Amino acid sequence: MDEHSEQQQYDVVVVGSGGGALTGAALAARAGLSVVVVEKTALLGGTSAYSGGACWLPGSQVQQRAGLPDSTEGARAYLSAILDDPTGPATAAKLDAFLTHAPELVAALEDDPDLDFEWLPFPEYYDAPGRVPMGRSIQPVSIKRDALPAPVAELVRPPVELDRAGAPGRRTLTGGQALIARLAVVALREGAHVLTRHTMTELLVEDDRAVGVHCTTPDGAPVELLARRGVLIAAGGFEGNAALRARHDVPGEVAWSMAPRGTNLGEPMTAAVELSAATDFSALGWFCPGLEQPDGGGSFTLGFRSGVMLDAAGSRYANESLPYDRFGRAMAAHPGAIPSWFVFDSREGGRLPGIAMPEGDPAEHLAAGTWVQSDTLAGLASATGLPAAALEASVRRYNGFCATGVDEDFGRGADEYDTFFTGGEGPNKALTPVDVPPYYAARFVLSDLGTKGGLLTDDAGRVLREDGSSIAGLYAASNSTASMFGSVYPGPGAPLGSAMVFASLAVRDMLSSPGAAGVA
Ligand SMILES: Cc1cc2nc3c(=O)[nH]c(=O)nc-3n(C[C@H](O)[C@H](O)[C@H](O)COP(=O)(O)OP(=O)(O)OC[C@H]3O[C@@H](n4cnc5c(N)ncnc54)[C@H](O)[C@@H]3O)c2cc1C
């Protein structure tokens, strides 16, 4: 790894090391450009390394190999049906670029001996025209750590449950770690430099053009990295920055967010704004229910197999089996839902009947009061402070729905997503009763997988000014940008898929642009 403090010159400076950033770095390096990746932490991958590695990249050769009824036009129909404003000026051109380029990107990546993908059966998040049964997401093929070059094996951020406990990663890298590892292998193989522990703080500007970045090292040493072709900002959102969250009305809290601790404070976005970049801060994140942890953190939770989520009045307020972002938005919109209490029973031996990353130790939860336990529902009510009559009525009514197989209040189990994670034996697999004492309640907050608002970019990933012109030399992708999907999370892998496509388009644009005269 380079650790020089003098000025260095490259064709491309990539800020961040998530899935979008490393896609850009790998493709640029493979195209013969000199590349540096700037990462503020000691590890590569950010939230992308925590992820499942699902990539929503429709219409590619991977879906074709799997024999799926997927196509670019099917994906277009699906997005047209679900997006807030698919034909609006902010979305239409990007939508087209995304759909057109996704299969090209997958083909280009799979052209590389170190990059392989496979279909990931995981239902899309809306029942809408164009939806593919069991989804159209793809994921990188897992890889053994000992098959990786040493720098990559050492640098990939471990899965969230290990990373938050300070533990190293596993011997086999799956999901997001496989994505980060494979992209890093390509980038390094093609000569890209990686500067970890370098925080980008400012953009270097000449004649209104971004010509590089200013970074600092942990000991405060300044480093200037010049970019002949362009700077690609793909450095997460601002989920880790309480002041920016408050300024842009993003519900939830830093501690409940899933980004690695201390990362994604939004410095690169702020630097671009100082250079007159336009933004759209949507007050949104990629939301999810967050199991509150004894240390005050939140854990991304999905796939509830039983149990009910109750608000402060002791009432259900949404289908608990909704795709997590839709449940999160319901939580954010419903008064008295933060925090909520998730009431479940002992049928899974006192473990949460859902997938929480990380779940934590039930005994520690009980000791900390983030979970409570009682032999009776009335006891649960007094331990949580919820009104006993309402809590008992909610559970009784839900158990009645479990018997008939129809959730008359919220339609739980009516969609294929609802039953993807469940194995219930009643008439509706998503409706398993709460009737095995002792009972538990776990406190839930609103978590997110990153914020969704940020820099406005065009269909080539160029950062725009308010007047619609692009800032020469400046590109952005990932959660550093305003999501093309608006308020919607179309399906598994939408954050990574869109980040990868626009990072790739940015590199394509850099390759066709003349570059900066001043640093040529
Ligand atoms: C458990 C879990 C599972 C998920 N599963 C999926 C999934 O399967 N598919 C999917 O699409 N999404 C998934 N997500 C969401 C997805 O991981 C994130 O939304 C996405 O990876 C964010 O990518 P990013 O590049 O914007 O940010 P990150 O991946 O967080 O990368 C940003 C990087 O930039 C660095 N950085 C920040 N500021 C600076 C700076 N000033 N200078 C230098 N470096 C900086 C950070 O340290 C970080 O390493 C999941 C999230 C979680 C938590």
Side-chain angles (χ1 to χ4, degrees):
M1 301 299 116
D2 286 24
E3 294 287 352
H4 308 302
S5 59
E6 74 271 18
Q7 200 177 60
Q8 300 170 29
Q9 197 168 101
Y10 299 88
D11 291 321
V12 181
V13 174
V14 176
V15 185
S17 66
L22 292 188
T23 296
L27 292 175
R30 221 175 58 178
L33 300 181
S34 61
V35 177
V36 65
V37 174
V38 187
E39 164 56 49
K40 78 192 283 185
T41 69
L43 297 173
L44 297 181
T47 323
S48 304
Y50 287 171
S51 80
C55 304
W56 202 75
L57 292 167
S60 85
Q61 58 198 36
V62 181
Q63 289 91 342
Q64 280 174 25
R65 278 202 307 268
L68 294 186
D70 180 32
S71 68
T72 299
E73 288 319 305
R76 189 189 304 277
Y78 179 67
L79 289 177
S80 300
I82 62 172
L83 293 188
D84 307 321
D85 186 15
T87 55
T91 314
K94 290 188 71 171
L95 189 59
D96 207 44
F98 172 78
L99 289 166
T100 305
H101 191 54
E104 297 168 352
L105 169 63
V106 176
L109 294 176
E110 284 207 321
D111 224 10
D112 194 290
D114 288 311
L115 291 166
D116 283 309
F117 292 85
E118 61 194 3
W119 174 52
L120 173 68
F122 194 160
E124 292 170 303
Y125 297 163
Y126 290 85
D127 182 12
R131 185 193 212 187
V132 173
M134 299 308 273
R136 47 163 63 91
S137 301
I138 64 173
Q139 66 179 353
V141 174
S142 302
I143 188 161
K144 297 264 187 232
R145 190 175 297 277
D146 57 16
L148 295 168
V152 176
E154 286 156 18
L155 282 177
V156 178
R157 186 174 286 282
V160 58
E161 64 278 12
L162 298 176
D163 198 37
R164 287 195 173 170
R170 301 192 178 89
R171 286 174 60 187
T172 301
L173 285 76
T174 60
Q177 293 134 67
L179 181 70
I180 295 303
R182 286 178 175 279
L183 291 168
V185 166
V186 177
L188 292 183
R189 188 194 71 210
E190 299 297 328
H193 288 202
V194 174
L195 297 177
T196 56
R197 299 180 196 269
H198 281 59
T199 301
M200 180 267 195
T201 52
E202 284 168 48
L203 284 161
L204 304 174
V205 185
E206 267 178 34
D207 301 330
D208 283 344
R209 180 188 174 95
V211 293
V213 302
H214 180 93
C215 311
T216 50
T217 62
D219 57 11
V223 179
E224 288 193 346
L225 304 169
L226 298 181
R228 295 182 198 92
R229 299 281 184 150
V231 174
L232 171 62
I233 295 176
F238 55 92
E239 53 273 14
N241 185 322
L244 283 183
R245 290 184 80 111
R247 188 180 313 155
H248 300 302
D249 294 323
V250 180
E253 291 185 5
V254 168
W256 303 340
S257 180
M258 292 303 294
R261 300 287 182 235
T263 66
N264 299 358
L265 306 183
E267 309 97 332
M269 269 188 243
T270 304
V273 168
E274 279 163 17
L275 190 51
S276 72
T279 53
D280 180 6
F281 289 110
S282 56
L284 287 170
W286 307 92
F287 289 125
C288 56
L291 173 67
E292 193 177 338
Q293 292 295 328
D295 68 359
S299 292
F300 170 26
T301 307
L302 75 169
F304 291 115
R305 295 181 288 275
S306 170
V308 285
M309 191 76 87
L310 303 181
D311 64 13
S315 303
R316 291 177 72 206
Y317 54 90
N319 163 11
E320 295 83 353
S321 297
L322 274 175
Y324 45 90
D325 174 65
R326 294 177 64 187
F327 191 90
R329 281 188 283 140
M331 191 184 223
H334 182 79
I338 307 174
S340 293
W341 286 97
F342 185 74
V343 172
F344 59 103
D345 67 11
S346 287
R347 68 183 54 241
E348 297 201 14
R351 308 297 302 237
L352 186 81
I355 305 163
M357 292 174 264
E359 178 181 344
D361 179 354
E364 285 175 25
H365 276 297
L366 288 168
T370 43
W371 292 17
V372 295
Q373 179 198 16
S374 174
D375 287 336
T376 64
L377 292 172
L380 219 49
S382 79
T384 55
L386 297 180
L391 185 154
E392 288 181 270
S394 294
V395 172
R396 204 168 37 245
R397 186 168 169 80
Y398 167 76
N399 285 348
F401 296 156
C402 296
T404 62
V406 180
D407 174 2
E408 292 172 25
D409 293 339
F410 300 106
R412 182 166 168 183
D415 186 74
E416 74 167 358
Y417 183 91
D418 296 10
T419 49
F420 182 65
F421 298 98
T422 60
E425 287 169 11
N428 180 331
K429 287 193 188 326
L431 295 177
T432 297
V434 176
D435 58 4
V436 182
Y439 300 104
Y440 295 85
R443 202 159 60 207
F444 270 79
V445 291
L446 179 66
S447 182
D448 61 72
L449 314 180
T451 47
K452 259 188 148 178
L455 301 171
L456 273 183
T457 53
D458 68 6
D459 54 356
R462 292 177 289 229
V463 175
L464 298 173
R465 298 186 183 87
E466 288 295 347
D467 65 6
S469 63
S470 58
I471 300 175
L474 189 59
Y475 300 81
S478 86
N479 291 350
S480 301
T481 65
S483 173
M484 147 189 130
F485 298 126
S487 68
V488 169
Y489 197 147
L496 283 173
S498 53
M500 293 164 72
V501 163
F502 286 103
S504 167
L505 288 168
V507 169
R508 185 184 273 194
D509 196 72
M510 287 183 212
L511 285 164
S512 65
S513 301
V519 289

